[in-house]
Amino acid sequence: AQASVEQFIGQLIADVRVETAEGPVLDAGVLELVETRIGQPLAMDRVRDTIDHLVGLGRYDDVRLLAAPAPGGTGVALTWVLRPIRLVTRVSFEGGGLAEATVRDVVSERFGSRPTASRVDDIAAAVTDLYREHGYRAVTVATQLSPGPDAGAVWLTLAIDPGPLTTVFTSSVTGTPRE
């Protein structure tokens, strides 16, 4: 069972692992940046420094440290979990309402031609805002990521249900309008 890292501060580190969802990290250039070492007491300044180093590589968009009592009850076992940055290399649109070029322009202007997968929720929110600005008040945007052909690349599909276009049936002006 994983626990809060803070409760293990000062305990001797018995095991350190570094992994991604794909498995253990074996890259020596990454491993040497980990400042929490076996036999040393766990210290928050070393945890913070390790996070800074790993994020500073520009290869990971999330770095987490999990801690658990070491087997045998002596010390702490640490697992660094890294989430590699995944780039969206293709965006496709399903649905209607607005011209695809209009939607594509907003996505590329705001997020660039190769946004990171961690920005998918922001992309969906921007598309939702665009549709609402054009009168589609009940729009829903669903996202789906699928693996791209290259390592670290994903494809994004935005399924857009614009809902009904808002129609103004009547309008009136109350008061005395100025010229």
Side-chain angles (χ1 to χ4, degrees):
Q2 302 299 324
S4 171
V5 172
E6 288 82 14
Q7 78 184 61
F8 295 102
I9 297 299
Q11 291 189 28
L12 289 182
I13 299 169
D15 187 33
V16 178
R17 298 172 189 215
V18 181
E19 56 190 46
T20 66
E22 289 78 37
V25 173
L26 304 174
D27 182 343
V30 172
L31 298 176
E32 70 184 20
L33 297 175
V34 176
E35 294 193 20
T36 53
R37 299 210 164 82
I38 295 173
Q40 295 180 342
L42 180 60
M44 282 308 289
D45 61 334
R46 292 180 185 253
V47 170
R48 283 189 294 271
D49 288 346
T50 299
I51 292 170
D52 289 344
H53 297 324
L54 293 171
V55 170
L57 283 175
R59 293 169 47 185
Y60 305 104
D61 66 7
D62 190 29
V63 176
R64 296 179 189 258
L65 178 60
L66 306 177
T74 309
V76 60
L78 303 177
T79 304
W80 288 96
V81 180
L82 312 178
R83 185 175 64 187
I85 291 175
R86 298 175 300 154
L87 296 177
V88 176
T89 57
R90 184 178 89 176
V91 179
S92 59
F93 303 93
E94 298 174 355
L98 298 177
E100 181 179 321
T102 302
V103 181
R104 188 172 300 282
D105 286 348
V106 166
V107 171
S108 63
E109 284 174 13
R110 184 132 177 235
F111 302 98
S113 62
R114 293 172 54 123
T116 62
S118 62
R119 301 291 314 267
V120 167
D121 291 340
D122 298 330
I123 293 170
V127 171
T128 298
D129 290 345
L130 173 69
Y131 270 78
R132 286 184 177 153
E133 289 168 7
H134 283 84
Y136 294 95
R137 308 300 295 167
V139 62
T140 58
V141 179
T143 61
Q144 180 181 354
L145 287 172
S146 55
D150 302 319
V154 292
W155 290 352
L156 171 61
T157 301
L158 295 171
I160 303 165
D161 178 2
L165 182 60
T166 301
T167 304
V168 178
F169 289 104
T170 62
S171 66
S172 62
V173 177
T174 303
T176 308
R178 295 182 186 174
E179 287 186 36

